[in-house]
Amino acid sequence: MKKIILKFTKWTILVCLAIFIVKGCIPTTLDVPYITPRATTKYWNLSTGSKIAYTHIAAKGEKKPYPIIYLHGGPGGYVYTKNIETLGKLSESGYDVYLYDQVGCGLSERLEKVKEYTAVRHINDLEAIIKLLGVEKVILVGQSWGGALAVLYSADHLDKIDKIVFTCPGAIKPANEALEKIKAPDSLNLKEPYNPNAKILPIVLNPRYVSIGIWARFFGKKLATDKEADGFLTNMATVFTKGLVCDSTNVLKEEGGAGSYCNLNTSVSYGSLKDPRIKLKNNKIPVLVMKGQCDNIDWGYTKEYLDLFSNSKFKIIPNAGHQIFAEQPELYTKTIEDFLTQ
């Protein structure tokens, strides 16, 4: 009887595995939005080979010497219309404001080779953009992963940085996971955001998406078209963005700009990065670190920014989650403007 049960179990596992593999090979049509160009969308053809979509809000009145460049989250995120609306207001104070979709994301071109999506590629693209603008220095505003990208860029280009604004920055790469254990002081009155993981799991474990991830990560191949792969990440975003706000009514509607292959491979590249902390030791860059009261980033990772950048200011934004610009747009803009004009 025992042998029969074991044999039955074995065949059951093999049948389930076969079904999983077959499902993983069948293309899927997803009912999700896909981003389309705005009236303000322009493109850069960079020396790195990347075709980058961007929006430029020109400075009004007396122009400041250094432009603002926004680095969105992810990897695999994109510039929301809300980002343009909020940061664009800084143009009224004389700043040229540039918001661009990183390669493989949003309205920017997708790369043919998955393995070319690396943190180093994003660093080189940013450097090419700054050279193209022909400016002496820039002000970087880094959201989430965009904050980590700003750190990586600054480590090798200290002379190009005027100031940095970190908004709910993600872990500095390569990440020091021990920092997750550091508890925030009670005086900060931080709040736990909604945890959407249970609802994301069925999407993550979809046989087709699992297969797409395996082919991308281990073989550097696109099993699915960019449109299909991006659709899966957009589908997940409609769920996990509910954990990026304090008030669920403030969740941003997805515009369909997720870059799935960029997301899958850029994160794999972190392990091969040179530690930027060494070159940034004793730096004097003026820095503002903003953290939403319901931010889902562990406090230890936020604290590392304050420790690394000694010339820093810290601001908790009440009643806001990871996407401060979505919940507290006026306070978000005012806090940045006050910092830049000090």
Side-chain angles (χ1 to χ4, degrees):
M1 185 68 180
K2 186 177 180 181
K3 288 184 177 180
I4 294 174
I5 293 173
L6 288 173
K7 188 174 182 179
F8 177 78
T9 302
K10 177 182 177 181
W11 279 105
T12 299
I13 292 172
L14 289 174
V15 169
C16 290
L17 181 60
I19 293 173
F20 188 93
I21 291 172
V22 170
K23 284 188 174 182
C25 294
I26 301 174
T28 304
T29 301
L30 298 168
D31 184 18
V32 296
Y34 290 96
I35 198 165
T36 55
R38 306 176 181 92
T40 58
T41 303
K42 298 179 181 179
Y43 292 90
W44 286 311
N45 289 303
L46 303 182
S47 58
T48 58
S50 299
K51 184 177 181 179
I52 299 295
Y54 73 98
T55 294
H56 171 216
I57 302 95
K60 298 175 179 62
E62 186 176 349
K63 186 174 178 178
K64 297 291 195 297
Y66 307 130
I68 293 171
I69 298 179
Y70 176 72
L71 306 176
H72 64 69
Y78 60 99
V79 174
Y80 285 90
T81 300
K82 190 68 174 179
N83 293 132
I84 298 172
E85 292 174 353
T86 53
L87 281 173
K89 293 179 181 178
L90 294 174
S91 65
E92 297 172 7
S93 298
Y95 294 98
D96 273 321
V97 181
Y98 294 90
L99 305 95
Y100 75 94
D101 292 318
Q102 294 156 27
V103 67
C105 307
L107 292 162
S108 288
E109 190 174 57
R110 273 50 178 168
L111 299 174
E112 290 186 11
K113 297 180 179 179
V114 178
K115 292 295 184 181
E116 290 184 3
Y117 289 117
T118 65
V120 172
R121 175 64 173 255
H122 295 302
I123 295 167
N124 292 339
D125 281 351
L126 178 54
E127 170 64 359
I129 288 170
I130 293 173
K131 285 184 177 179
L132 189 150
L133 294 178
V135 292
E136 182 184 353
K137 293 185 178 184
V138 295
I139 298 164
L140 298 178
V141 176
Q143 163 70 23
S144 193
W145 140 254
L149 176 56
V151 171
L152 292 170
Y153 177 80
S154 300
D156 287 321
H157 303 90
L158 278 170
D159 60 322
K160 299 285 184 68
I161 305 299
D162 179 52
K163 295 179 180 178
I164 307 178
V165 176
F166 295 109
T167 62
C168 299
I172 295 173
K173 314 301 181 187
N176 176 6
E177 295 181 359
L179 296 174
E180 293 179 7
K181 299 178 181 179
I182 298 177
K183 294 184 178 180
D186 292 338
S187 59
L188 295 180
N189 194 29
L190 299 181
K191 298 180 180 180
E192 286 290 329
Y194 165 72
N195 188 339
N197 289 344
K199 293 187 176 181
I200 293 177
L201 201 58
I203 304 173
V204 175
L205 296 180
N206 180 293
R208 179 63 172 171
Y209 191 63
V210 171
S211 300
I212 290 170
I214 290 173
W215 277 79
R217 287 179 180 269
F218 296 102
F219 306 109
K221 301 293 183 180
K222 293 184 180 182
L223 180 64
T225 63
D226 285 290
K227 183 177 181 179
E228 183 186 354
D230 291 351
F232 274 105
L233 188 55
T234 294
N235 201 13
M236 279 189 278
T238 61
V239 179
F240 70 67
T241 50
K242 295 176 182 177
L244 304 184
V245 291
C246 266
D247 183 346
S248 60
T249 62
N250 293 325
V251 174
L252 287 178
K253 183 179 180 180
E254 280 303 306
E255 298 175 48
S260 189
Y261 287 117
C262 174
N263 171 267
L264 289 167
N265 205 68
T266 300
S267 56
V268 175
S269 73
Y270 295 157
S272 61
L273 288 170
K274 294 180 180 178
D275 191 341
R277 300 166 180 85
I278 299 171
K279 291 184 178 180
L280 287 170
K281 189 176 181 180
N282 300 321
N283 78 85
K284 299 299 180 183
I285 301 173
V287 160
L288 169 65
V289 179
M290 299 168 65
K291 187 175 184 68
Q293 188 179 20
C294 304
D295 185 20
N296 62 349
I297 300 295
D298 291 309
W299 166 249
Y301 290 133
T302 303
K303 183 177 181 296
E304 186 176 22
Y305 282 82
L306 300 173
D307 293 337
L308 183 61
F309 295 92
S310 59
N311 188 15
S312 62
K313 296 182 181 297
F314 179 61
K315 179 75 172 179
I316 289 286
I317 305 298
N319 302 316
H322 190 62
Q323 294 180 330
I324 300 172
F325 63 89
E327 293 194 276
Q328 296 281 14
E330 293 181 1
L331 183 55
Y332 170 85
T333 305
K334 185 179 186 306
T335 303
I336 294 175
E337 186 173 15
D338 287 348
F339 167 70
L340 295 181
T341 56
Q342 288 174 352

